[in-house]
Amino acid sequence: ARITTRLSIPGRYMVLMLHSGAYVGVSRKIEDSRERQRLRAIANEMRPETYSVIVRTEAEGKSEEELRQDLHFLLDMAQKLEHKAARTSAPALVHGDLNLILRLIRDAFTRDVSRLVVDSESAYESILELVEMISPHMKSRVFLYSEALPIFHVYNVENEIDRTMRRKVWLPSGGHLVIDQAEALTAIDVNTGRFVGSVELAETVLTTNLQAAEEVARQLRLRDLGGIIVVDFIDMDNARHRQQVTKAFEDALKRDRAKIKMHNISALGLVEMTRKRTGESMSSLLTEPCPYCSGIGRIQNILTMALRIQREVAAAAVEHPETEAFAITAHPRVVASVLGYEGEVQRDLEQYIERPVYLRSVEDFHPNSYKMERLTLEQALAAVPHLEEGE
């Protein structure tokens, strides 16, 4: 939380600054010097004397009329805010930011979006009101979905979300990316996979790397990955090929709204970059660490689990000499490993601890989960028919 008197109201193309002097700033992501000068001149001309204005990246290439319309919207909101503040006794909420849907409309519903479909009538009406204020010509691109099937099902959104959770991402040529998120950084590895090319190795590598450059930029946006990112492109001996891949990657990253700093490809094919965090990544929002693997992405194999059970039974036999029998419930594959091909592993264990061991397999048990019960002989005999049913 931050307390400040330097209030700012963001619009689509500009940010209006209240009580913070009088100046005009232009987004650093707009690199063309002529465009920066044009936007600065337009903003200076229309800016009221008592306000400051920051021109956002989205303003690049926009007409004076579009910028003026956005500023009028912000000024109207600022006047209402100050008028309400003058009439309201503290403590009170004077202004609240737009909700998620309306922020999305303000920041992402741009002219390169051909269609916006929403399945809530109330949200649809709110969206039309906001679009009417900021981009009236875009109203015809907003549609209300009213069919019986859920909207995510019709547009295959669930499958797309599942794809963003996968570690491996396939490229059109047959190559693939492997994306691993660690605590401090994200590592993205590029592989040729099943793509062998048709000319020579260098061309195969170049094709894969060019496709990877486009897909890596897309995955960064989709997954909203932030912090330090290392991309391991396939090694290229040809300096011209490295320049091509670097240029393609830079062009693909320009479509990203987040602030990015990128270094050139090293001799080892590595690209080091940072992407500004704007919140939690999609993976953090939609998933949680696996309770079995603790988030490492791997579980203990069947043999490891079988040996672990044998050791625990042997230890329990020493620690609890009064125990007359043991019952083990586990996944069928684990039970099979504890049993042995012809029951020899179970027999050896029983001879070692000098007590019977009963095994029960349950399909629903996770391969890394099992249950060990210490029984009296009477309990064991009573349980034998029940245990044998699951064997």
Side-chain angles (χ1 to χ4, degrees):
R2 182 179 65 180
I3 298 176
T4 179
T5 57
R6 302 185 65 176
L7 308 178
S8 61
I9 307 175
R12 171 167 290 179
Y13 307 126
M14 296 183 175
V15 177
L16 186 66
M17 309 289 290
L18 286 65
H19 317 302
S20 58
Y23 66 89
V24 170
V26 179
S27 168
R28 294 179 182 176
K29 292 191 72 175
I30 301 176
E31 298 176 352
D32 187 297
S33 58
R34 290 185 179 180
E35 179 64 4
R36 292 179 65 86
Q37 290 175 5
R38 182 185 78 88
L39 292 171
R40 191 182 296 276
I42 292 174
N44 260 319
E45 180 186 345
M46 66 173 95
R47 176 188 60 80
E49 291 184 4
T50 55
Y51 295 105
S52 296
V53 169
I54 298 174
V55 181
R56 303 182 69 177
T57 308
E58 189 59 39
E60 187 172 11
K62 299 298 184 294
S63 67
E64 180 175 345
E65 180 59 32
E66 289 176 296
L67 299 177
R68 191 177 296 278
Q69 188 176 28
D70 191 50
L71 184 59
H72 283 168
F73 167 70
L74 293 176
L75 288 172
D76 182 55
M77 187 178 293
Q79 289 169 4
K80 289 178 180 177
L81 187 157
E82 293 183 328
H83 182 61
K84 184 177 180 180
R87 294 183 308 159
T88 306
S89 300
L93 176 66
V94 176
H95 174 71
D97 197 7
L98 300 174
N99 63 35
L100 176 62
I101 294 176
L102 298 184
R103 287 205 307 273
L104 183 68
I105 301 305
R106 180 190 68 197
D107 298 337
F109 189 44
T110 56
R111 60 186 177 186
D112 58 340
V113 177
S114 60
R115 187 178 176 88
L116 170 66
V117 185
V118 59
D119 63 351
S120 164
E121 189 167 354
S122 59
Y124 173 73
E125 297 297 336
S126 299
I127 289 169
L128 287 181
E129 289 180 18
L130 183 59
V131 173
E132 176 67 38
M133 288 189 284
I134 61 177
S135 299
H137 62 283
M138 298 277 282
K139 284 184 68 175
S140 61
R141 304 186 189 188
V142 183
F143 298 88
L144 176 64
Y145 178 85
S146 55
E147 302 298 325
L149 277 174
I151 191 170
F152 272 30
H153 182 83
V154 172
Y155 288 94
N156 204 32
V157 176
E158 295 288 1
N159 287 339
E160 290 299 317
I161 291 174
D162 289 342
R163 286 176 61 187
T164 63
M165 298 294 105
R166 293 175 190 167
R167 183 169 175 259
K168 182 180 289 187
V169 178
W170 289 100
L171 301 174
S173 65
H176 63 265
L177 308 177
V178 177
I179 303 174
D180 288 311
Q181 289 182 253
E183 186 70 26
L185 60 82
T186 299
I188 303 177
D189 187 32
V190 182
N191 298 287
T192 54
R194 56 176 177 248
F195 180 51
V196 295
S198 57
V199 185
E200 59 179 13
L201 179 61
E203 291 299 322
T204 299
V205 169
L206 175 62
T207 301
T208 304
N209 280 341
L210 288 173
Q211 292 180 356
E214 186 73 26
E215 187 60 31
V216 167
R218 178 173 175 270
Q219 291 296 324
L220 294 180
R221 298 193 303 271
L222 277 176
R223 302 176 186 228
D224 201 11
L225 299 174
I228 300 171
I229 299 162
V230 177
V231 185
D232 183 9
F233 287 100
I234 304 168
D235 293 350
M236 294 172 287
D237 296 328
N238 190 314
R240 184 170 58 84
H241 287 179
R242 286 201 296 272
Q243 291 173 359
Q244 278 183 260
V245 173
T246 301
K247 178 67 165 58
F249 196 28
E250 288 175 343
D251 290 343
L253 291 173
K254 286 179 180 177
R255 296 195 291 273
D256 200 324
R257 298 172 61 86
K259 185 178 180 181
I260 291 174
K261 290 183 180 179
M262 169 190 153
H263 297 280
N264 289 331
I265 297 178
S266 70
L268 295 176
L270 298 177
V271 171
E272 298 173 11
M273 59 183 292
T274 59
R275 184 175 184 270
K276 185 177 180 180
R277 292 186 185 276
T278 55
E280 292 186 85
S281 68
M282 181 175 286
S283 175
S284 299
L285 288 170
L286 302 183
T287 66
E288 60 184 29
C290 170
Y292 295 99
C293 72
S294 301
I296 65 172
R298 301 180 69 86
I299 60 173
Q300 295 181 49
N301 61 34
I302 299 304
L303 178 59
T304 301
M305 289 303 301
L307 293 172
R308 179 176 172 182
I309 290 172
Q310 292 173 52
R311 287 192 293 267
E312 183 167 345
V313 169
V318 174
E319 294 170 355
H320 303 279
E322 75 283 0
T323 301
E324 297 177 325
F326 292 91
I328 304 296
T329 306
H331 187 274
R333 291 175 61 207
V334 177
V335 168
S337 187
V338 175
L339 181 64
Y341 184 66
E342 293 183 339
E344 71 281 359
V345 176
Q346 182 186 17
R347 285 196 300 271
D348 290 345
L349 179 60
E350 289 178 329
Q351 289 175 5
Y352 181 76
I353 66 172
E354 299 180 340
R355 269 158 273 190
V357 176
Y358 299 98
L359 303 176
R360 183 187 181 204
S361 63
V362 177
E363 282 284 350
D364 293 342
F365 262 59
H366 190 280
N368 276 184
S369 178
Y370 64 91
K371 178 182 178 183
M372 183 183 74
E373 298 174 89
R374 294 184 288 107
L375 310 173
T376 64
L377 200 55
E378 183 179 347
Q379 290 173 324
L381 291 173
V384 166
H386 175 65
L387 292 170
E388 286 178 344
E389 286 177 9
E391 287 183 355

CSV table of all heavy atoms in Angstrom, one decimal, residues 263-318:
chain,number,residue,atom,x,y,z
A,263,HIS,N,19.6,-8.5,-23.6
A,263,HIS,CA,21.0,-8.5,-24.1
A,263,HIS,C,21.1,-9.4,-25.3
A,263,HIS,O,20.3,-10.2,-25.6
A,263,HIS,CB,21.9,-9.0,-23.0
A,263,HIS,CG,22.0,-8.2,-21.8
A,263,HIS,ND1,22.7,-7.0,-21.7
A,263,HIS,CD2,21.4,-8.3,-20.6
A,263,HIS,CE1,22.5,-6.5,-20.5
A,263,HIS,NE2,21.7,-7.2,-19.8
A,264,ASN,N,22.1,-9.1,-26.1
A,264,ASN,CA,22.3,-9.8,-27.4
A,264,ASN,C,22.6,-11.3,-27.1
A,264,ASN,O,23.1,-11.7,-26.0
A,264,ASN,CB,23.4,-9.2,-28.2
A,264,ASN,CG,23.0,-7.9,-28.8
A,264,ASN,OD1,21.8,-7.7,-29.1
A,264,ASN,ND2,24.0,-7.0,-29.0
A,265,ILE,N,22.5,-12.2,-28.1
A,265,ILE,CA,22.8,-13.6,-27.9
A,265,ILE,C,24.3,-13.7,-27.7
A,265,ILE,O,25.1,-13.2,-28.5
A,265,ILE,CB,22.3,-14.3,-29.2
A,265,ILE,CG1,20.8,-14.3,-29.4
A,265,ILE,CG2,22.8,-15.8,-29.1
A,265,ILE,CD1,20.3,-15.0,-30.6
A,266,SER,N,24.6,-14.5,-26.7
A,266,SER,CA,26.0,-14.8,-26.4
A,266,SER,C,26.6,-15.8,-27.4
A,266,SER,O,25.8,-16.5,-28.1
A,266,SER,CB,26.2,-15.2,-25.0
A,266,SER,OG,25.7,-16.5,-24.8
A,267,ALA,N,27.9,-16.1,-27.3
A,267,ALA,CA,28.5,-17.1,-28.1
A,267,ALA,C,27.9,-18.5,-27.8
A,267,ALA,O,28.0,-19.4,-28.7
A,267,ALA,CB,30.0,-17.1,-27.9
A,268,LEU,N,27.4,-18.7,-26.6
A,268,LEU,CA,26.8,-20.0,-26.3
A,268,LEU,C,25.3,-20.1,-26.6
A,268,LEU,O,24.7,-21.1,-26.3
A,268,LEU,CB,27.0,-20.2,-24.8
A,268,LEU,CG,28.4,-20.3,-24.2
A,268,LEU,CD1,28.4,-20.5,-22.7
A,268,LEU,CD2,29.1,-21.5,-24.9
A,269,GLY,N,24.8,-19.0,-27.3
A,269,GLY,CA,23.4,-19.0,-27.7
A,269,GLY,C,22.4,-18.6,-26.6
A,269,GLY,O,21.2,-18.8,-26.7
A,270,LEU,N,23.0,-18.0,-25.5
A,270,LEU,CA,22.1,-17.5,-24.4
A,270,LEU,C,21.7,-16.1,-24.6
A,270,LEU,O,22.4,-15.2,-25.0
A,270,LEU,CB,22.8,-17.7,-23.1
A,270,LEU,CG,23.3,-19.1,-22.6
A,270,LEU,CD1,24.0,-19.0,-21.3
A,270,LEU,CD2,22.1,-20.0,-22.5
A,271,VAL,N,20.4,-15.8,-24.2
A,271,VAL,CA,19.9,-14.5,-24.2
A,271,VAL,C,19.5,-14.2,-22.7
A,271,VAL,O,18.6,-14.9,-22.2
A,271,VAL,CB,18.7,-14.2,-25.1
A,271,VAL,CG1,18.1,-12.9,-24.9
A,271,VAL,CG2,19.2,-14.3,-26.6
A,272,GLU,N,20.1,-13.2,-22.1
A,272,GLU,CA,19.7,-12.8,-20.8
A,272,GLU,C,18.7,-11.6,-20.9
A,272,GLU,O,19.0,-10.6,-21.6
A,272,GLU,CB,20.9,-12.5,-19.9
A,272,GLU,CG,21.9,-13.6,-19.7
A,272,GLU,CD,23.1,-13.2,-19.1
A,272,GLU,OE1,23.2,-12.1,-18.5
A,272,GLU,OE2,24.1,-14.0,-19.1
A,273,MET,N,17.7,-11.6,-20.1
A,273,MET,CA,16.7,-10.5,-20.2
A,273,MET,C,16.0,-10.4,-18.9
A,273,MET,O,16.0,-11.3,-18.1
A,273,MET,CB,15.7,-10.7,-21.4
A,273,MET,CG,14.9,-12.0,-21.2
A,273,MET,SD,13.8,-12.3,-22.7
A,273,MET,CE,12.6,-11.0,-22.4
A,274,THR,N,15.3,-9.3,-18.7
A,274,THR,CA,14.4,-9.1,-17.5
A,274,THR,C,13.1,-8.5,-18.1
A,274,THR,O,13.1,-7.8,-19.0
A,274,THR,CB,15.0,-8.0,-16.5
A,274,THR,OG1,15.2,-6.8,-17.2
A,274,THR,CG2,16.3,-8.5,-15.9
A,275,ARG,N,12.0,-9.0,-17.4
A,275,ARG,CA,10.7,-8.5,-17.8
A,275,ARG,C,10.0,-8.0,-16.5
A,275,ARG,O,10.0,-8.8,-15.5
A,275,ARG,CB,9.9,-9.6,-18.4
A,275,ARG,CG,8.5,-9.2,-18.9
A,275,ARG,CD,7.9,-10.3,-19.7
A,275,ARG,NE,6.6,-9.9,-20.2
A,275,ARG,CZ,5.4,-10.0,-19.6
A,275,ARG,NH1,5.4,-10.5,-18.4
A,275,ARG,NH2,4.3,-9.7,-20.2
A,276,LYS,N,9.5,-6.8,-16.5
A,276,LYS,CA,9.0,-6.3,-15.3
A,276,LYS,C,7.8,-7.1,-14.8
A,276,LYS,O,6.9,-7.4,-15.6
A,276,LYS,CB,8.5,-4.8,-15.5
A,276,LYS,CG,8.0,-4.1,-14.3
A,276,LYS,CD,7.7,-2.6,-14.6
A,276,LYS,CE,7.2,-1.9,-13.3
A,276,LYS,NZ,6.9,-0.5,-13.5
A,277,ARG,N,7.8,-7.4,-13.5
A,277,ARG,CA,6.6,-8.1,-12.9
A,277,ARG,C,5.5,-7.1,-12.8
A,277,ARG,O,5.6,-6.0,-12.2
A,277,ARG,CB,7.0,-8.7,-11.6
A,277,ARG,CG,8.0,-9.8,-11.6
A,277,ARG,CD,8.2,-10.4,-10.3
A,277,ARG,NE,9.3,-11.4,-10.3
A,277,ARG,CZ,9.1,-12.7,-10.6
A,277,ARG,NH1,7.9,-13.1,-11.0
A,277,ARG,NH2,10.1,-13.5,-10.5
A,278,THR,N,4.3,-7.5,-13.2
A,278,THR,CA,3.1,-6.7,-13.0
A,278,THR,C,2.1,-7.4,-12.0
A,278,THR,O,1.1,-6.9,-11.7
A,278,THR,CB,2.4,-6.5,-14.3
A,278,THR,OG1,2.1,-7.8,-15.0
A,278,THR,CG2,3.2,-5.7,-15.3
A,279,GLY,N,2.5,-8.6,-11.6
A,279,GLY,CA,1.7,-9.4,-10.7
A,279,GLY,C,2.1,-10.8,-10.7
A,279,GLY,O,3.2,-11.1,-11.1
A,280,GLU,N,1.3,-11.7,-10.2
A,280,GLU,CA,1.6,-13.1,-10.2
A,280,GLU,C,1.6,-13.7,-11.6
A,280,GLU,O,0.7,-13.3,-12.4
A,280,GLU,CB,0.7,-13.9,-9.3
A,280,GLU,CG,0.9,-13.6,-7.8
A,280,GLU,CD,0.0,-14.5,-6.9
A,280,GLU,OE1,0.5,-15.6,-6.6
A,280,GLU,OE2,-1.1,-14.1,-6.6
A,281,SER,N,2.4,-14.6,-11.9
A,281,SER,CA,2.4,-15.3,-13.2
A,281,SER,C,1.1,-16.2,-13.3
A,281,SER,O,0.5,-16.5,-12.2
A,281,SER,CB,3.6,-16.2,-13.4
A,281,SER,OG,3.6,-17.3,-12.5
A,282,MET,N,0.7,-16.6,-14.5
A,282,MET,CA,-0.5,-17.4,-14.6
A,282,MET,C,-0.3,-18.7,-13.9
A,282,MET,O,-1.2,-19.2,-13.3
A,282,MET,CB,-0.7,-17.7,-16.1
A,282,MET,CG,-2.0,-18.5,-16.3
A,282,MET,SD,-2.4,-18.8,-18.0
A,282,MET,CE,-3.1,-17.2,-18.4
A,283,SER,N,0.9,-19.3,-13.9
A,283,SER,CA,1.1,-20.5,-13.2
A,283,SER,C,0.9,-20.3,-11.7
A,283,SER,O,0.3,-21.2,-11.0
A,283,SER,CB,2.6,-21.0,-13.4
A,283,SER,OG,2.9,-22.1,-12.6
A,284,SER,N,1.3,-19.2,-11.1
A,284,SER,CA,1.1,-19.0,-9.7
A,284,SER,C,-0.4,-18.8,-9.3
A,284,SER,O,-0.8,-19.2,-8.3
A,284,SER,CB,1.9,-17.7,-9.2
A,284,SER,OG,3.3,-17.9,-9.4
A,285,LEU,N,-1.1,-18.2,-10.3
A,285,LEU,CA,-2.5,-17.9,-10.0
A,285,LEU,C,-3.4,-19.1,-10.1
A,285,LEU,O,-4.3,-19.3,-9.4
A,285,LEU,CB,-3.0,-16.8,-11.0
A,285,LEU,CG,-2.5,-15.4,-10.9
A,285,LEU,CD1,-2.9,-14.6,-12.1
A,285,LEU,CD2,-3.1,-14.8,-9.6
A,286,LEU,N,-3.0,-20.0,-11.1
A,286,LEU,CA,-3.9,-21.2,-11.3
A,286,LEU,C,-3.4,-22.5,-10.7
A,286,LEU,O,-4.2,-23.5,-10.8
A,286,LEU,CB,-4.0,-21.3,-12.9
A,286,LEU,CG,-4.6,-20.2,-13.7
A,286,LEU,CD1,-4.7,-20.5,-15.1
A,286,LEU,CD2,-5.9,-19.7,-13.1
A,287,THR,N,-2.2,-22.5,-10.2
A,287,THR,CA,-1.7,-23.8,-9.7
A,287,THR,C,-1.2,-23.6,-8.3
A,287,THR,O,-1.0,-22.5,-7.8
A,287,THR,CB,-0.7,-24.4,-10.6
A,287,THR,OG1,0.5,-23.6,-10.6
A,287,THR,CG2,-1.1,-24.6,-12.0
A,288,GLU,N,-0.9,-24.8,-7.6
A,288,GLU,CA,-0.2,-24.8,-6.3
A,288,GLU,C,0.8,-25.9,-6.3
A,288,GLU,O,0.7,-26.9,-7.1
A,288,GLU,CB,-1.2,-24.9,-5.2
A,288,GLU,CG,-2.0,-26.2,-5.2
A,288,GLU,CD,-3.1,-26.2,-4.1
A,288,GLU,OE1,-3.6,-25.2,-3.7
A,288,GLU,OE2,-3.4,-27.4,-3.7
A,289,PRO,N,1.8,-25.9,-5.5
A,289,PRO,CA,2.8,-26.9,-5.5
A,289,PRO,C,2.2,-28.3,-5.2
A,289,PRO,O,1.3,-28.4,-4.4
A,289,PRO,CB,3.8,-26.5,-4.3
A,289,PRO,CG,3.6,-25.0,-4.2
A,289,PRO,CD,2.2,-24.8,-4.5
A,290,CYS,N,2.6,-29.3,-5.9
A,290,CYS,CA,2.1,-30.7,-5.7
A,290,CYS,C,2.5,-31.1,-4.3
A,290,CYS,O,3.6,-31.0,-3.9
A,290,CYS,CB,2.8,-31.6,-6.7
A,290,CYS,SG,2.4,-33.4,-6.4
A,291,PRO,N,1.5,-31.7,-3.5
A,291,PRO,CA,1.8,-32.1,-2.2
A,291,PRO,C,2.7,-33.4,-2.1
A,291,PRO,O,3.2,-33.7,-1.1
A,291,PRO,CB,0.4,-32.4,-1.6
A,291,PRO,CG,-0.4,-32.7,-2.8
A,291,PRO,CD,0.1,-31.8,-3.9
A,292,TYR,N,2.8,-34.1,-3.2
A,292,TYR,CA,3.6,-35.3,-3.2
A,292,TYR,C,5.1,-35.0,-3.7
A,292,TYR,O,6.0,-35.5,-3.1
A,292,TYR,CB,3.0,-36.3,-4.2
A,292,TYR,CG,1.7,-36.8,-3.7
A,292,TYR,CD1,0.5,-36.3,-4.3
A,292,TYR,CD2,1.6,-37.8,-2.7
A,292,TYR,CE1,-0.7,-36.7,-3.8
A,292,TYR,CE2,0.4,-38.2,-2.3
A,292,TYR,CZ,-0.8,-37.7,-2.8
A,292,TYR,OH,-2.0,-38.2,-2.4
A,293,CYS,N,5.2,-34.1,-4.7
A,293,CYS,CA,6.6,-33.8,-5.2
A,293,CYS,C,7.1,-32.5,-4.6
A,293,CYS,O,8.3,-32.2,-4.9
A,293,CYS,CB,6.6,-33.8,-6.7
A,293,CYS,SG,5.8,-32.4,-7.4
A,294,SER,N,6.3,-31.8,-3.8
A,294,SER,CA,6.7,-30.5,-3.2
A,294,SER,C,7.2,-29.5,-4.3
A,294,SER,O,8.0,-28.6,-4.1
A,294,SER,CB,7.9,-30.7,-2.2
A,294,SER,OG,7.5,-31.6,-1.2
A,295,GLY,N,6.6,-29.6,-5.5
A,295,GLY,CA,6.8,-28.6,-6.5
A,295,GLY,C,8.0,-28.9,-7.4
A,295,GLY,O,8.3,-28.1,-8.3
A,296,ILE,N,8.7,-30.0,-7.2
A,296,ILE,CA,9.9,-30.2,-8.1
A,296,ILE,C,9.5,-30.9,-9.4
A,296,ILE,O,10.3,-31.0,-10.3
A,296,ILE,CB,10.9,-31.1,-7.4
A,296,ILE,CG1,10.4,-32.5,-7.1
A,296,ILE,CG2,11.4,-30.5,-6.1
A,296,ILE,CD1,11.4,-33.5,-6.6
A,297,GLY,N,8.2,-31.4,-9.5
A,297,GLY,CA,7.8,-31.9,-10.8
A,297,GLY,C,8.1,-33.4,-11.0
A,297,GLY,O,7.9,-33.9,-12.1
A,298,ARG,N,8.6,-34.1,-10.0
A,298,ARG,CA,8.9,-35.5,-10.1
A,298,ARG,C,8.5,-36.2,-8.8
A,298,ARG,O,8.5,-35.6,-7.7
A,298,ARG,CB,10.4,-35.7,-10.4
A,298,ARG,CG,10.9,-35.0,-11.6
A,298,ARG,CD,12.4,-35.3,-11.9
A,298,ARG,NE,12.6,-36.7,-12.2
A,298,ARG,CZ,12.6,-37.2,-13.4
A,298,ARG,NH1,12.2,-36.4,-14.4
A,298,ARG,NH2,12.8,-38.4,-13.7
A,299,ILE,N,8.2,-37.5,-8.9
A,299,ILE,CA,7.9,-38.3,-7.7
A,299,ILE,C,8.8,-39.4,-7.6
A,299,ILE,O,9.5,-39.8,-8.6
A,299,ILE,CB,6.4,-38.8,-7.7
A,299,ILE,CG1,6.2,-39.7,-9.0
A,299,ILE,CG2,5.5,-37.6,-7.7
A,299,ILE,CD1,4.8,-40.3,-9.0
A,300,GLN,N,8.9,-40.1,-6.4
A,300,GLN,CA,9.8,-41.2,-6.3
A,300,GLN,C,9.3,-42.4,-7.1
A,300,GLN,O,8.0,-42.6,-7.1
A,300,GLN,CB,9.9,-41.6,-4.8
A,300,GLN,CG,10.5,-40.5,-3.9
A,300,GLN,CD,10.6,-40.9,-2.5
A,300,GLN,OE1,11.0,-42.0,-2.2
A,300,GLN,NE2,10.2,-40.0,-1.6
A,301,ASN,N,10.2,-43.2,-7.7
A,301,ASN,CA,9.7,-44.3,-8.5
A,301,ASN,C,9.2,-45.4,-7.6
A,301,ASN,O,9.4,-45.4,-6.4
A,301,ASN,CB,10.8,-44.7,-9.5
A,301,ASN,CG,12.1,-45.2,-8.8
A,301,ASN,OD1,12.0,-45.8,-7.7
A,301,ASN,ND2,13.2,-44.9,-9.4
A,302,ILE,N,8.7,-46.5,-8.3
A,302,ILE,CA,8.0,-47.6,-7.6
A,302,ILE,C,9.1,-48.4,-6.7
A,302,ILE,O,8.8,-48.7,-5.6
A,302,ILE,CB,7.4,-48.5,-8.6
A,302,ILE,CG1,6.3,-47.8,-9.4
A,302,ILE,CG2,6.8,-49.7,-7.9
A,302,ILE,CD1,5.3,-47.1,-8.5
A,303,LEU,N,10.2,-48.6,-7.2
A,303,LEU,CA,11.2,-49.4,-6.5
A,303,LEU,C,11.6,-48.6,-5.2
A,303,LEU,O,11.8,-49.2,-4.1
A,303,LEU,CB,12.5,-49.7,-7.4
A,303,LEU,CG,13.6,-50.4,-6.7
A,303,LEU,CD1,13.1,-51.7,-6.1
A,303,LEU,CD2,14.8,-50.6,-7.6
A,304,THR,N,11.8,-47.3,-5.4
A,304,THR,CA,12.2,-46.5,-4.2
A,304,THR,C,11.1,-46.6,-3.1
A,304,THR,O,11.4,-46.7,-1.9
A,304,THR,CB,12.4,-45.0,-4.6
A,304,THR,OG1,13.4,-44.9,-5.6
A,304,THR,CG2,12.8,-44.1,-3.5
A,305,MET,N,9.9,-46.5,-3.5
A,305,MET,CA,8.8,-46.6,-2.6
A,305,MET,C,8.7,-47.9,-1.9
A,305,MET,O,8.5,-48.1,-0.7
A,305,MET,CB,7.4,-46.3,-3.2
A,305,MET,CG,7.3,-44.8,-3.6
A,305,MET,SD,7.4,-43.7,-2.2
A,305,MET,CE,6.1,-44.3,-1.1
A,306,ALA,N,8.9,-49.0,-2.7
A,306,ALA,CA,8.9,-50.4,-2.1
A,306,ALA,C,10.0,-50.5,-1.1
A,306,ALA,O,9.8,-51.1,0.0
A,306,ALA,CB,9.1,-51.4,-3.2
A,307,LEU,N,11.2,-50.0,-1.4
A,307,LEU,CA,12.3,-50.1,-0.4
A,307,LEU,C,12.1,-49.3,0.8
A,307,LEU,O,12.4,-49.7,1.9
A,307,LEU,CB,13.6,-49.7,-1.1
A,307,LEU,CG,14.1,-50.6,-2.2
A,307,LEU,CD1,15.3,-50.0,-2.9
A,307,LEU,CD2,14.5,-52.0,-1.6
A,308,ARG,N,11.4,-48.1,0.6
A,308,ARG,CA,11.1,-47.3,1.8
A,308,ARG,C,10.1,-48.0,2.7
A,308,ARG,O,10.3,-47.9,3.9
A,308,ARG,CB,10.5,-46.0,1.2
A,308,ARG,CG,10.1,-45.0,2.3
A,308,ARG,CD,9.6,-43.7,1.6
A,308,ARG,NE,9.0,-42.8,2.6
A,308,ARG,CZ,8.5,-41.6,2.3
A,308,ARG,NH1,8.5,-41.2,1.0
A,308,ARG,NH2,8.0,-40.8,3.2
A,309,ILE,N,9.1,-48.7,2.1
A,309,ILE,CA,8.1,-49.4,3.0
A,309,ILE,C,8.8,-50.5,3.7
A,309,ILE,O,8.6,-50.7,4.9
A,309,ILE,CB,7.0,-49.9,2.1
A,309,ILE,CG1,6.2,-48.8,1.5
A,309,ILE,CG2,6.2,-51.0,2.8
A,309,ILE,CD1,5.1,-49.2,0.5
A,310,GLN,N,9.7,-51.2,3.1
A,310,GLN,CA,10.4,-52.3,3.7
A,310,GLN,C,11.3,-51.8,4.9
A,310,GLN,O,11.3,-52.4,6.0
A,310,GLN,CB,11.3,-53.1,2.7
A,310,GLN,CG,10.6,-53.8,1.7
A,310,GLN,CD,11.5,-54.4,0.6
A,310,GLN,OE1,12.5,-55.1,0.9
A,310,GLN,NE2,11.2,-54.1,-0.7
A,311,ARG,N,11.9,-50.7,4.7
A,311,ARG,CA,12.7,-50.1,5.8
A,311,ARG,C,11.9,-49.7,7.0
A,311,ARG,O,12.2,-49.9,8.1
A,311,ARG,CB,13.6,-49.0,5.3
A,311,ARG,CG,14.7,-49.4,4.4
A,311,ARG,CD,15.7,-48.3,4.1
A,311,ARG,NE,15.1,-47.2,3.3
A,311,ARG,CZ,15.2,-47.1,2.0
A,311,ARG,NH1,15.8,-48.0,1.3
A,311,ARG,NH2,14.6,-46.1,1.3
A,312,GLU,N,10.7,-49.1,6.6
A,312,GLU,CA,9.9,-48.6,7.7
A,312,GLU,C,9.3,-49.8,8.5
A,312,GLU,O,9.2,-49.7,9.7
A,312,GLU,CB,8.7,-47.7,7.2
A,312,GLU,CG,7.9,-47.1,8.3
A,312,GLU,CD,6.9,-46.1,7.8
A,312,GLU,OE1,7.1,-45.5,6.7
A,312,GLU,OE2,6.0,-45.7,8.6
A,313,VAL,N,8.9,-50.8,7.8
A,313,VAL,CA,8.4,-52.0,8.5
A,313,VAL,C,9.5,-52.6,9.4
A,313,VAL,O,9.2,-53.0,10.6
A,313,VAL,CB,7.9,-53.1,7.5
A,313,VAL,CG1,7.6,-54.4,8.2
A,313,VAL,CG2,6.6,-52.6,6.8
A,314,ALA,N,10.7,-52.7,8.9
A,314,ALA,CA,11.8,-53.3,9.7
A,314,ALA,C,12.1,-52.4,10.9
A,314,ALA,O,12.3,-52.9,12.0
A,314,ALA,CB,13.0,-53.4,8.8
A,315,ALA,N,12.0,-51.1,10.8
A,315,ALA,CA,12.3,-50.2,11.9
A,315,ALA,C,11.1,-50.3,12.9
A,315,ALA,O,11.4,-50.3,14.1
A,315,ALA,CB,12.4,-48.7,11.4
A,316,ALA,N,9.9,-50.4,12.4
A,316,ALA,CA,8.7,-50.5,13.3
A,316,ALA,C,8.8,-51.8,14.1
A,316,ALA,O,8.3,-51.8,15.3
A,316,ALA,CB,7.4,-50.3,12.5
A,317,ALA,N,9.3,-52.8,13.5
A,317,ALA,CA,9.3,-54.1,14.2
A,317,ALA,C,10.3,-54.1,15.4
A,317,ALA,O,10.1,-54.7,16.4
A,317,ALA,CB,9.8,-55.2,13.2
A,318,VAL,N,11.3,-53.3,15.2
A,318,VAL,CA,12.3,-53.1,16.3
A,318,VAL,C,11.7,-52.2,17.4
A,318,VAL,O,11.8,-52.4,18.6
A,318,VAL,CB,13.6,-52.6,15.8
A,318,VAL,CG1,14.6,-52.3,16.9
A,318,VAL,CG2,14.3,-53.6,14.8
